[in-house]
Amino acid sequence: MSSKESCPVVNIPCNLGKRHGITAAWFTEDKISVTAYSNKLLQSVNNRPPVNAPVKVTHLAPTFILDEPILRSLVSECSNVFLNLQVVKSSSPAASIDYLKISRTYRSAIRACLEKLEDLITNTKPRDLEQYQNYVTIFYSVEYIWHLVEILIVDSNSATAVVPNLLEWVQYHFPTANRMATELLQQGRDMDSNEEYWGVVKGLIIQGQIQVARALLRLHTKSEMVCFEVAEQILQTMPIYSAYGGLSVPKFKSQWQYWSANARSKIDAGILAAEPDLEEIVKLVVGDRQTWTEQCRYATSWFEYFPG
């Protein structure tokens, strides 16, 4: 055990133990039995307690994660998922296995466990609240990392269109920008007075939600200014690649280079300088490295802006 690790302290309610010491012995392989009076005291005939004196016996056992029924159920479900995979693979070696379906079943079990844990925390307020919150953090991390592995490795269809899937992944696991955008849209024309306005628009741009970002920009009180009209034209004409759109990769690259050069020329000409936040948004969409580096400082984790 590391010197920095702290051992748990257990308080045993035993008045006799305070006065005369305690004795501990293994009760089972994972439990210790503790009772009052030390061995040294019991060896002394004169100091032995009366025969009829009541003595409490306390059994101590380490906490185990699978003692929690919700987590035990998760382990059982996940074990069945991978056991079935082994059975299918061993019984029909030549059969085609739908690994994507199995992966999604595994993630579904984790999400169901997370929902149960969150309901438990919200509705019952368990005694070990911090421990259950740690469970949520751990299994949520497992779920979204596995989801990323599923996109990059398990899903063979992602090979030709990995970026759209990554954008869906980041939107699903980091929904703050989308949720706040909905709240801002409900406010109407005065939304830009909200101090979170520009942060939300930038977050949407980074997550590839160009249409929602444009909707917010159109409702800005200065949306009729030239800089906003130019930014709208840049975002509207931004080429977006789709594996099923019928556009070849070389053709898309050609369109992107032309569009990017045009957008950069607008930035260099100072057309967007009147609104620094708007200029920063356009720099984000054209892939300006310095702007991206600056924006990444506000990320809640290193992979929040991973698709960018």
Side-chain angles (χ1 to χ4, degrees), residues 3-244:
S3 59
K4 295 183 179 180
E5 295 181 5
S6 58
C7 296
V9 177
V10 179
N11 294 321
I12 301 175
C14 181
N15 293 327
L16 287 176
K18 288 182 179 180
R19 296 195 300 267
H20 305 293
I22 61 173
T23 298
W26 287 104
F27 179 64
T28 63
E29 61 182 10
D30 62 345
K31 290 183 180 179
I32 294 178
S33 179
V34 180
T35 183
Y37 301 106
S38 66
N39 287 327
K40 184 177 181 180
L41 180 64
L42 293 176
Q43 291 172 1
S44 173
V45 177
N46 297 329
N47 293 328
R48 286 182 181 179
V51 176
N52 296 327
V55 178
K56 291 183 178 180
V57 178
T58 304
H59 298 305
L60 304 179
T63 56
F64 188 45
I65 189 172
L66 294 184
D67 290 337
E68 168 54 50
I70 295 176
L71 302 184
R72 191 162 58 246
S73 174
L74 171 65
V75 172
S76 177
E77 289 185 47
C78 293
S79 297
N80 288 333
V81 170
F82 292 106
L83 179 61
N84 291 336
L85 172 60
Q86 293 177 0
V87 170
V88 172
K89 191 171 183 179
S90 60
S91 60
S92 304
S96 177
I97 301 176
D98 191 347
Y99 290 104
L100 181 59
K101 181 180 179 180
I102 294 172
S103 175
R104 288 174 176 171
T105 303
Y106 171 62
R107 288 198 298 110
S108 178
I110 297 177
R111 285 200 301 271
C113 173
L114 283 170
E115 291 177 2
K116 293 176 182 178
L117 288 172
E118 289 171 349
D119 288 342
L120 182 66
I121 292 172
T122 303
N123 299 326
T124 63
K125 302 295 183 182
R127 183 178 59 182
D128 300 328
L129 179 61
E130 184 178 356
Q131 183 65 49
Y132 282 90
Q133 290 173 337
N134 290 337
Y135 290 155
V136 170
T137 301
I138 291 170
F139 289 110
Y140 181 69
S141 300
V142 170
E143 197 277 332
Y144 67 64
I145 291 297
W146 185 266
H147 191 184
L148 181 60
V149 172
E150 181 182 290
I151 292 172
L152 297 177
I153 300 175
V154 179
D155 188 2
S156 58
N157 295 325
S158 292
T160 56
V162 67
V163 173
N165 290 335
L166 287 177
L167 290 175
E168 289 182 7
W169 173 80
V170 78
Q171 291 169 21
Y172 179 80
H173 292 289
F174 298 94
T176 303
N178 197 36
R179 184 176 63 250
M180 294 186 67
T182 302
E183 296 176 0
L184 289 174
L185 287 170
Q186 293 174 350
Q187 295 180 18
R189 296 288 295 185
D190 295 330
M191 68 173 67
D192 54 283
S193 60
N194 191 311
E195 60 181 9
E196 302 291 340
Y197 174 80
W198 286 111
V200 172
V201 177
K202 293 172 186 176
L204 293 169
I205 292 292
I206 288 173
Q207 292 186 354
Q209 301 190 68
I210 305 299
Q211 301 304 323
V212 182
R214 288 175 57 201
L216 290 178
L217 291 174
R218 285 195 295 268
L219 291 175
H220 195 282
T221 52
K222 299 180 181 178
S223 59
E224 296 180 358
M225 291 178 59
V226 174
C227 57
F228 276 86
E229 293 178 352
V230 171
E232 165 65 15
Q233 188 268 335
I234 291 173
L235 295 176
Q236 184 179 14
T237 57
M238 177 182 175
I240 299 176
Y241 179 75
S242 173
Y244 311 103

